[in-house]
Amino acid sequence: MKSLRMLLALVLAVSVLNSGYPAAAAPVSGVKARPNDGSGYWPDFSNTGYSHTPANAGGLGLGSYPGKLTDYAKNMSATKPMRLTFPDNSVISFKRFLSLKVAIYGDNLTFVGCLFEGTNPNDNLIQIYSKSKIKFLYSTFKPNTLTRPPGNDGTVSSAHSKPGTPFAKSWQAVTTMTESVAVMDHNDIWGNAGMMMVTGFPGRPSTWTNNYIHDQADTAHDVYHHDGIGPQSEGNGGPMKIDHNTLASLGNTNALALQGDGVYDHISFTNNYVSGWGYAVSIGTKNNATNITVTGNVFSAELKQLWGFLYGNIWGGKSRGSTWRRNVLQVRAGDGNTTYSPADNGKYLWPTGAPAKTTDYTG
């Protein structure tokens, strides 16, 4: 019997490791956990960013975070721009980049365990000129004058009160300047306005997994659009894979900011923790999206929200090949979003909005 128990324990451990989720999170369901609650279930300060880079991140054979970063260049300054040019297919690891604006050249580059910091209000901190693809794994993007987001003591997903990072100390965006598709995994991103990267192209999806996107800047004065992934304002975007991210902040617009009136197609938004924003998720401004998958997400009332979880009830709809399933509410006493009460905890969120439902959406 002892041998059988050991075998079963080994099988369970292997299955957890192969799942892509932290071993510590296995007993905890998504609706019971919150970022920075010690469970490690959601992306948060404990498992994203350069200091948490594990060995063999991205399957590249690198070691884990060595305990400190190396400055990319001498005399770097938040008041000076920087141009980075690397041979195609380069891997850049455990480097610190401090700049007014970083322009990145070279295709199929991979940044692992890096820190990008600066102060560039109302402009890009990073501009990407890769031709087809770029990856950021276990990297941190933040204002250079702050070590922790104002109002976030590491026990909440994002600050519960304004203003967050002041405008003068913030940075605006990371932006693709070409048709380069980004792969973003286990990054810690805060103190900014958004991540303005292309949504992807047929056969080349943009991919966002296990990222901690939180604490947007200047939430008191609304100088910025406060967007998590986005904004993408043109429409005609996709494909995208957005899976198992924390997207939490006070703000006036969207965690997923697909804000155009063209057709968004093959967007997969799954297994994410979403809290705050204006309308938390926007999938277009016209009801013409196609092949949209919104499943397994936890929509949390933790943070105050201006309007609702889904802009315009737009998500494609069954007739356009889209699916909305297993999206649940997380509500606790004292939460900032007072549209729902603790009695709604664990109930289903329908794309039609409030009230909470005891059965899943089937439309």
Side-chain angles (χ1 to χ4, degrees):
M1 290 296 293
K2 182 177 180 181
S3 297
L4 179 60
R5 287 195 298 269
M6 291 177 65
L7 178 60
L8 290 173
L10 178 61
V11 170
L12 176 60
V14 171
S15 67
V16 169
L17 288 172
N18 289 338
S19 71
Y21 295 90
V28 184
S29 69
V31 77
K32 293 181 180 178
R34 282 188 171 174
N36 293 316
D37 66 358
S39 69
Y41 187 93
W42 295 111
D44 59 19
F45 286 129
S46 74
N47 50 35
T48 64
Y50 68 88
S51 64
H52 294 100
T53 308
N56 199 32
L60 297 170
L62 299 172
S64 59
Y65 172 57
K68 65 177 181 179
L69 300 175
T70 302
D71 282 355
Y72 175 73
K74 295 180 179 179
N75 302 317
M76 294 187 300
S77 170
T79 64
K80 298 178 181 179
M82 178 186 297
R83 177 180 173 127
L84 307 178
T85 302
F86 300 100
D88 292 353
N89 308 309
S90 293
V91 175
I92 304 96
S93 60
F94 305 120
K95 295 289 191 287
R96 172 179 176 257
F97 301 92
L98 171 65
S99 180
L100 176 68
K101 179 186 292 186
V102 177
I104 299 176
Y105 292 84
D107 197 28
N108 196 29
L109 305 177
T110 302
F111 292 86
V112 182
C114 292
L115 168 62
F116 296 85
E117 56 181 346
T119 301
N120 201 355
N122 217 25
D123 203 349
N124 300 316
L125 178 65
I126 300 174
Q127 292 186 171
I128 300 166
Y129 293 91
S130 299
K131 293 179 181 179
S132 64
K133 189 175 184 179
I134 192 166
K135 294 181 181 179
F136 296 93
L137 313 178
Y138 286 94
S139 293
T140 300
F141 305 78
K142 73 175 198 64
N144 67 292
T145 59
L146 300 172
T147 58
R148 183 63 66 94
N152 188 339
D153 63 358
T155 63
V156 296
S157 67
S158 189
H160 286 204
S161 59
K162 301 177 179 182
T165 299
F167 179 75
K169 295 184 177 181
S170 69
W171 55 280
Q172 186 180 35
V174 174
T175 304
T176 47
M177 307 300 290
T178 62
E179 292 189 352
S180 177
V181 170
V183 173
M184 306 290 291
D185 182 68
H186 281 96
N187 299 299
D188 180 11
I189 303 164
W190 61 273
N192 64 312
M195 300 290 283
M196 299 171 62
M197 298 183 180
V198 296
T199 54
F201 303 92
R204 294 196 297 129
S206 96
T207 304
W208 303 74
T209 53
N210 308 303
N211 298 290
Y212 182 28
I213 301 175
H214 59 110
D215 289 287
Q216 302 302 99
D218 191 52
T219 54
H221 302 99
D222 290 347
V223 175
Y224 287 136
H225 261 219
H226 303 117
D227 299 307
I229 300 172
Q232 201 274 18
S233 301
E234 294 77 25
N236 300 319
M240 294 183 78
K241 175 185 176 182
I242 308 107
D243 183 70
H244 197 246
N245 302 278
T246 292
L247 303 163
S249 181
L250 299 178
N252 52 30
T253 41
N254 320 121
L256 176 62
L258 307 182
Q259 299 168 347
D261 60 8
V263 176
Y264 290 102
D265 180 62
H266 281 96
I267 308 294
S268 174
F269 189 78
T270 57
N271 307 310
N272 300 289
Y273 179 95
V274 185
S275 189
W277 312 96
Y279 283 102
V281 174
S282 175
I283 306 174
T285 58
K286 291 184 178 179
N287 193 14
N288 56 7
T290 54
N291 302 303
I292 308 299
T293 300
V294 184
T295 60
N297 299 289
V298 171
F299 289 92
S300 176
E302 177 189 358
L303 299 172
K304 183 178 180 179
Q305 186 177 68
L306 295 183
W307 300 296
F309 281 115
L310 180 64
Y311 175 81
N313 303 331
I314 296 170
W315 61 283
K318 186 176 181 180
S319 64
R320 294 190 176 92
S322 298
T323 302
W324 183 287
R325 295 285 188 279
R326 304 185 307 280
N327 298 297
V328 297
L329 289 160
Q330 183 197 74
V331 193
R332 299 177 183 175
D335 278 350
N337 183 351
T338 57
T339 301
Y340 302 96
S341 74
D344 297 317
N345 186 61
K347 292 184 179 180
Y348 293 97
L349 178 72
W350 285 21
T352 51
K357 306 289 186 177
T358 57
T359 58
D360 200 358
Y361 183 75
T362 58

